[in-house]
Amino acid sequence: MTDASSTQDEVTYKRVLLKISGEALMGDQGFGLHPPTVERIAREVKSVHDLGVEICMVIGGGNIFRGLQGSAQGMERTTADYMGMLATVMNALAMQSALESLGVFTRVVSAIPMDQVCEPYIRRRAVRHLEKKRVVIFAAGTGNPYFTTDTAATLRASEMRCEAIFKGTKVDGVYDKDPVKHTDAKRYDTVTFDEVLQKHLGVMDASAIALARDNHLPIIVFSLDEPGGFRGILRGEGTYTRVTG
């Protein structure tokens, strides 16, 4: 049996942040959490954790509540965004439960203090959790309205000194147009941050892309629906798009 320390030398990155949307946890449902889907994603995370890679996560809240949509329907934007942040805490707790049922020690760290539920965000403590090989799930975004979970993911990845952000999506990379609607859509193997912004490629919002660019933090866009895809990329395999400077 190969131990984690010897396997770790074979991986591309030693510390990464995985960003997934809340919708990724819905499965085929139109709303909420689909436990088998949560468990499947947890197994993907565990397979990478077993390589000795230090992993932190940010999960969106759109499967439960999306602040911007609530605002569009007449709700005050700040209130709507805080409701969205609370939705990300619920998703983080669900993922923590799934990971710990697989034997992976996990900590949920919230930008909004709620001590009975999870830990408050303290950078040094979060880094220490990663060093102890615990999966850290960052919840409640940045703790501020008007900032997306994409921006929160880039901020936390920078603070944790991650080597890359892995953005799990429904497609296997970044395309010049929607591959679901256009059969002639072209996938990029690599693309620059500036091209993403100029061509409106929709990898992440502009604030997140600018922050990643300024901190020289590559973004790997891959399909979360591909079994073993997350682990494969860390072993130098698979199909994905690398966004870099």
Side-chain angles (χ1 to χ4, degrees):
M1 181 177 178
T2 305
D3 63 21
S5 60
S6 62
T7 308
Q8 191 180 31
D9 294 334
E10 302 172 15
V11 299
T12 311
Y13 302 106
K14 304 294 178 66
R15 179 181 292 177
V16 301
L17 184 141
L18 173 64
K19 167 63 172 70
I20 61 177
S21 67
E23 288 89 346
L25 306 183
M26 293 191 309
D28 294 329
Q29 302 174 153
F31 181 82
L33 290 158
H34 184 238
T37 300
V38 177
E39 181 182 352
R40 177 182 64 80
I41 295 172
R43 290 189 181 280
E44 292 285 326
V45 174
K46 181 182 185 298
S47 71
V48 171
H49 184 266
D50 288 346
L51 294 175
V53 177
E54 297 172 2
I55 306 172
C56 47
M57 299 179 67
V58 170
I59 308 172
N63 57 318
I64 299 171
F65 189 86
R66 185 179 293 281
L68 199 57
Q69 290 178 354
S71 177
Q73 294 173 15
M75 185 176 290
E76 196 269 325
R77 173 66 188 270
T78 302
T79 299
D81 279 355
Y82 277 122
M83 291 175 69
M85 290 180 217
L86 295 177
T88 70
V89 177
M90 295 171 69
N91 285 338
L93 292 172
M95 183 58 64
Q96 178 186 40
S97 178
L99 284 166
E100 291 193 334
S101 72
L102 298 173
V104 179
F105 292 111
T106 308
R107 296 290 185 271
V108 173
V109 177
S110 172
I112 299 175
M114 46 185 82
D115 294 346
Q116 286 97 333
V117 176
C118 49
E119 294 183 11
Y121 176 68
I122 300 171
R123 188 186 67 83
R124 288 179 179 272
R125 182 186 291 177
V127 169
R128 186 66 178 143
H129 286 322
L130 290 174
E131 291 172 347
K132 290 184 174 180
K133 306 303 179 185
R134 297 166 182 158
V135 172
V136 178
I137 307 176
F138 295 112
T142 66
N144 301 291
Y146 297 95
F147 289 92
T148 66
T149 50
D150 280 345
T151 302
T154 310
L155 175 63
R156 296 295 183 238
S158 301
E159 290 178 307
M160 295 299 106
R161 297 186 178 179
C162 292
E163 296 170 4
I165 296 173
F166 278 70
K167 175 83 181 281
T169 68
K170 292 186 176 297
V171 293
D172 58 356
V174 179
Y175 286 77
D176 60 350
K177 48 190 167 184
D178 189 343
V180 176
K181 299 178 181 177
H182 303 277
T183 56
D184 61 340
K186 170 192 169 187
R187 186 181 63 80
Y188 297 95
D189 287 326
T190 60
V191 64
T192 67
F193 293 117
D194 288 340
E195 286 177 308
V196 168
L197 293 172
Q198 291 164 6
K199 297 178 181 179
H200 305 286
L201 295 178
V203 176
M204 287 182 167
D205 65 73
S207 297
I209 292 294
L211 186 58
R213 179 189 61 195
D214 293 347
N215 287 280
H216 310 290
L217 186 62
I219 301 170
I220 310 297
V221 183
F222 71 106
S223 172
L224 199 63
D225 294 334
E226 180 68 28
F230 186 21
R231 178 186 173 99
I233 294 168
L234 281 154
R235 300 293 296 273
E237 306 161 359
T239 303
Y240 57 91
T241 298
R242 178 182 169 90
V243 185
T244 185

